[in-house]
Amino acid sequence: MQEPATKIVVLGTGGTIAGLQTAGPPGTYRAGALPLAQLLPEGADLERVDVAHIDSKDMDLAVWRQLTVQVAQALGRDEVAGVVITHGSDTLEDTAWLLHSLFASSGKPVVLTCAMRPADHPAPDGPGNWRDALAVARDGGAGHRGVLVVCAGQVHGARGVRKQHGWAVDAFGSGQAGALGAVNNGQVHWFREPIRPAVDSGLNEASAVGESLWRTLLSPPWPEQLRTQVHQALLRRDWPWVAVVHSAALADARSLRALVDAGVQGLVVAGTGSGTVHRDWLPVLASLPESVPWVLCSACEMAGMPLTEQAGWSALDLTPRKARISLALMQLALG
Ligand code: ASP
């Protein structure tokens, strides 16, 4: 009989959770200064791997590649019950959405956590956060909920999570839908299931192109063939250049044209309200070449509902940042 999986693989990427206020001259701060060995006590069921030591504001393709390889390897091991990733808070939601896109189908928990105060702060929040993250990674209700983010006692899904505060310990929210759960004294309480927009029938094909493929990509877990194809492309190819442009008062069409002339490979239009776009932009968007797909989402913090503007492909409830990642992944899928 097979032994039950008990091991948690902890992958460190840096961030304030591993940061020191006192690393350099007074007043300086260095994110990711400490290795995991100095943050987490050794335990028989914990395996610690330092993937990177960066400030997540500087997240790059090399670290994303290493991280996805480490996550894939860990999830593939029978003895591994789940993965915890320590990460800076600045781009945590980007990495969570990338990993959710690639690994939502694994059935094993992948939990990201962070801290808003450095490890040498008089009252650090990191230790509580990684303990909570370990509790979630060991909880039976986590695996089917896709990639999760744990911070300040709350459990957020990769789809809804966003950093909404610059310094508060409770820095993350899940928009209108609220957190998926909470952790209290090591106990995990689940409030709801993650939202997964329906993929139209017939669209769930790895061979789907254009808007069909876009809709499939917006709704992880993906078909296995698509998942492998995109992961391989991520490891081998340059990251496609997708830009976010904000429609607002006096939106200037020259910014769109300049991006297209410079070779942009996709545009995310962060629309006003429920996804409306300045009239001066609409003709430019309508005449974009096929090689520059554009998608529409709302810049509003509490959007999270179907968009009204139908001119482009809708990014549904995704924030502009996450739509940007999905559109880049689409370009990777198209090869
Ligand atoms: N700049 C830091 C980072 O994202 C902030 C943090 O971790 O809270 O790495």
Side-chain angles (χ1 to χ4, degrees):
M1 232 179 55
Q2 205 177 317
E3 295 289 312
T6 53
K7 198 177 277 299
I8 301 291
V9 174
V10 185
L11 304 174
T13 65
T16 296
I17 192 166
L20 293 177
Q21 223 154 13
T22 52
T28 57
Y29 149 78
R30 193 150 61 90
L34 297 176
L36 284 177
Q38 286 185 45
L39 294 178
L40 288 105
E42 210 166 351
D45 278 347
L46 281 190
E47 196 173 298
R48 300 167 300 186
V49 182
D50 287 292
V51 175
H53 293 278
I54 61 162
D55 186 322
S56 83
K57 76 178 176 60
D58 301 323
M59 182 54 73
D60 59 25
L61 186 58
V63 176
W64 263 9
R65 282 180 175 154
Q66 283 181 51
L67 191 59
T68 61
V69 167
Q70 293 284 346
V71 170
Q73 279 173 1
L75 293 175
R77 288 165 54 195
D78 289 342
E79 73 277 21
V80 172
V83 175
V84 167
I85 301 167
T86 56
H87 198 289
S89 62
D90 288 345
T91 57
L92 187 97
E93 66 213 67
D94 304 325
T95 301
W97 183 243
L98 173 81
L99 296 179
H100 184 68
S101 298
L102 292 177
F103 301 112
S105 59
S106 85
K108 291 184 183 180
V110 176
V111 185
L112 291 103
T113 192
C114 63
M116 295 300 288
R117 295 174 177 165
D120 58 349
H121 189 280
D125 54 330
N129 283 346
W130 61 250
R131 274 193 201 98
D132 287 350
L134 287 176
V136 172
R138 294 197 182 285
D139 189 87
H144 74 276
R145 286 182 160 91
V147 171
L148 301 168
V149 169
V150 171
C151 180
Q154 292 196 306
V155 188
H156 302 280
R159 181 170 207 101
V161 70
R162 74 271 323 248
K163 188 172 179 181
Q164 55 190 26
H165 205 293
W167 51 265
V169 167
D170 186 6
F172 286 86
S174 287
Q176 208 140 25
L180 296 186
V183 195
N184 188 25
N185 285 330
Q187 293 292 315
V188 184
H189 305 275
W190 296 105
F191 304 149
R192 66 177 179 92
E193 295 295 321
I195 295 164
R196 184 185 179 219
V199 176
D200 299 349
S201 57
L203 298 187
N204 207 2
E205 302 283 333
S207 60
V209 289
E211 190 170 4
S212 307
L213 175 60
W214 172 245
R215 289 295 301 253
T216 304
L217 291 170
L218 284 191
S219 221
W222 303 340
E224 182 56 24
Q225 193 192 328
L226 177 65
R227 199 193 70 74
T228 323
Q229 183 192 331
V230 173
H231 193 192
Q232 287 309 313
L234 173 85
L235 297 179
R236 297 208 180 101
R237 296 195 16 226
D238 289 342
W239 182 252
W241 177 25
V242 174
V244 178
V245 286
H246 284 260
S247 180
L250 282 69
D252 195 323
R254 283 176 300 183
S255 11
L256 302 183
R257 287 197 205 98
L259 284 164
V260 175
D261 290 348
V264 78
Q265 292 163 274
L267 288 176
V268 174
V269 178
T272 34
S274 56
T276 47
V277 178
H278 196 289
R279 63 176 176 222
D280 290 356
W281 276 18
L282 291 173
V284 185
L285 291 170
S287 63
L288 287 176
E290 238 175 63
S291 56
V292 186
W294 70 278
V295 302
L296 181 67
C297 51
S298 172
C300 288
E301 191 58 30
M302 293 291 184
M305 51 174 70
L307 304 174
T308 53
E309 190 87 34
Q310 287 306 313
W313 299 344
S314 168
L316 304 176
D317 55 323
L318 285 193
T319 60
R321 278 168 71 163
K322 289 180 198 166
R324 174 176 157 263
I325 292 167
S326 293
L327 196 54
L329 295 177
M330 185 171 112
Q331 291 294 37
L332 288 178
L334 290 172

